[in-house]
Amino acid sequence: SGAVTRAGGTTTEATTTSTTAVDLITIASLSIASTTPIFCVGVARKSTGAAADAGLGLKLNATVVSEAATGAFNVWHGNNTANAAVQGSFYFLIPPHDATYVRNGWGVGARGANASAGFSDLRATNDYPNATTTDVIIRAISDNGSVTGACDEFHVYTYAVS
């Protein structure tokens, strides 16, 4: 095993027009100790249809750690000021955590070509579960049912700790 190992991922796009946060992509059957650093990367987009936003969030196991929100700090969000297609990418690091350090994540999402340049950052909704990570889940929401939010090429990696 190397210093970086792919734990799981998907190359299939998932989409939603839901105006309430929903689970969009689940990378399941993992077994990542809470003391192991996790790195995630993916691409995202929102469609035209309304001057509205779409956003992504993060859930570990059954715990929403950064809820999907629009126009807010989360995994990624499009541009809510224009009826325009927006694409971009995101990555985030889930540092080692235990009972003492459960809210110390960091991440960034960059909006791409058809939106104003900008970044999101991963803000905690809840503490990380102090447990083995078995599921890494991307959540999504749309401001308007006419706007599709999407995620693709989502991959989960772990870093060696020794």
Side-chain angles (χ1 to χ4, degrees), residues 46-53 79-85 142-148:
K46 82 158 190 94
S47 70
T48 60
D53 199 359
N79 182 343
N80 63 358
T81 61
N83 181 2
S142 175
D143 269 344
N144 184 302
S146 296
V147 171
T148 298

Side-chain angles (χ1 to χ4, degrees), residues 99-111:
T100 305
Y101 301 98
V102 292
R103 194 177 279 213
N104 58 348
W106 179 83
V108 64
R111 291 189 299 273

Side-chain angles (χ1 to χ4, degrees), residues 1 9 15 27 35 39 50 66 82 122 143:
S1 72
T15 65
I27 308 303
T35 54
F39 178 79
S66 183
L122 190 61
D143 269 344

Side-chain angles (χ1 to χ4, degrees), residues 67-149:
E67 183 59 285
T70 57
F73 296 97
N74 50 16
V75 171
W76 183 89
H77 71 93
N79 182 343
N80 63 358
T81 61
N83 181 2
V86 177
Q87 67 246 336
S89 59
F90 62 88
Y91 60 89
F92 53 89
L93 176 68
I94 302 165
H97 51 283
D98 60 20
T100 305
Y101 301 98
V102 292
R103 194 177 279 213
N104 58 348
W106 179 83
V108 64
R111 291 189 299 273
N114 297 327
S116 56
F119 294 93
S120 295
D121 63 9
L122 190 61
R123 298 274 175 98
T125 302
N126 294 295
D127 292 344
Y128 295 132
N130 185 24
T132 298
T133 298
T134 56
D135 302 294
V136 177
I137 301 156
I138 294 293
R139 291 177 54 77
I141 191 171
S142 175
D143 269 344
N144 184 302
S146 296
V147 171
T148 298

